[in-house]
Amino acid sequence: MNSGYTAVSRCTFAAVAVLALAACAPSGVSYSKDVQPILTKNCSECHAPGKEGYVASGLDTTSYASLMKGGKFGPLVKPGDALSSSLNMLVEGRAHASIRMPHGREKLPDADIETLKVWVNEGAKNN
């Protein structure tokens, strides 16, 4: 078998696989329809005024404005950049285990983590 043909075939296969994965990722994520329900279910129980997470961090996840304001340690969301956004680092487990969110609970489902990632990468719009 021709080694040049094999290399091209492997590259083609890899390119198709990447495109297929990209096609499966959510796009056009809506804050009100997609993101806020995730935050309400998993974050707002602690990160709302008067609650333990709010007292510790100053973070309120009950509205778009308060989420984008951030907390005592700065902004939580960096629109357009999920890689360096604290929100994504905390829910993806890329921060120290002691501050992984949701704190003391099961990790978010992969689909919810991906939704938050896409929303941030798409600019974290209030839509």
Side-chain angles (χ1 to χ4, degrees):
M1 191 164 165
N2 184 340
S3 64
Y5 176 76
T6 302
V8 170
S9 296
R10 287 183 183 153
C11 288
T12 302
F13 176 75
V16 169
V18 167
L19 291 173
L21 287 174
C24 293
S27 65
V29 175
S30 161
Y31 173 79
S32 60
K33 187 177 75 143
D34 303 309
V35 174
Q36 186 59 48
I38 294 169
L39 299 176
T40 298
K41 179 179 178 186
N42 300 287
C43 309
S44 297
E45 179 181 319
C46 296
H47 291 282
K51 304 291 184 172
E52 185 178 353
Y54 178 80
V55 171
S57 68
L59 179 65
D60 176 4
T61 61
T62 61
S63 73
Y64 178 82
S66 61
L67 178 69
M68 297 308 286
K69 179 181 171 187
K72 293 178 183 178
F73 306 104
L76 188 70
V77 177
K78 185 174 180 185
D81 187 3
L83 186 61
S84 64
S85 175
S86 295
L87 171 68
N88 302 94
M89 285 191 252
L90 292 166
V91 300
E92 292 173 11
R94 292 188 284 125
H96 191 275
S98 66
I99 58 172
R100 184 190 60 79
M101 295 294 148
H103 188 68
R105 294 178 34 202
E106 290 293 318
K107 177 182 166 244
L108 293 181
D110 290 343
D112 289 353
I113 291 172
E114 185 65 20
T115 295
L116 294 173
K117 182 178 178 179
V118 170
W119 175 69
V120 170
N121 280 336
E122 289 181 344
K125 298 178 183 106
N126 185 11
N127 56 357

